[in-house]
Amino acid sequence: MRSRPISPIAASFWPTLVFVGSLRSLAALKPERVVTGHGCALHGPELRHGLDALAQDFEHVAVPDQGRYVETPARAEDVSAYRSP
């Protein structure tokens, strides 16, 4: 049981931590095929290699160095996710 509330900084990284944990779990399964619900189904050794690389180095592979949301992520809580660019 937590003795104190989660910090705002930790809370902002929570969705990423959950995603990376799920990604690592998926990579550990060594799937033959992945159907995500968007885009084409992925399959074979290239899929497994890509999942492993992404799971091991998510911050460098998937997080851009620059862009609209790098410094200030869009959030549903403050409606910034619904503002026009």
Side-chain angles (χ1 to χ4, degrees), residues 8-73:
I9 292 174
S12 68
F13 289 112
W14 182 249
T16 301
L17 294 175
V18 171
F19 175 76
V20 172
S22 296
L23 180 63
R24 288 181 178 153
S25 295
L26 178 61
L29 293 172
K30 304 290 184 203
E32 181 58 34
R33 181 175 306 271
V34 173
V35 181
T36 63
H38 58 275
C40 297
L42 304 171
H43 59 88
E46 189 175 339
L47 160 70
R48 291 186 293 280
H49 175 73
L51 278 174
D52 288 339
L54 186 58
Q56 289 186 358
D57 202 13
F58 180 82
E59 292 295 322
H60 292 101
V61 174
V63 178
D65 293 329
Q66 59 183 357
R68 178 178 178 193
Y69 300 110
V70 171
E71 294 296 322
T72 310

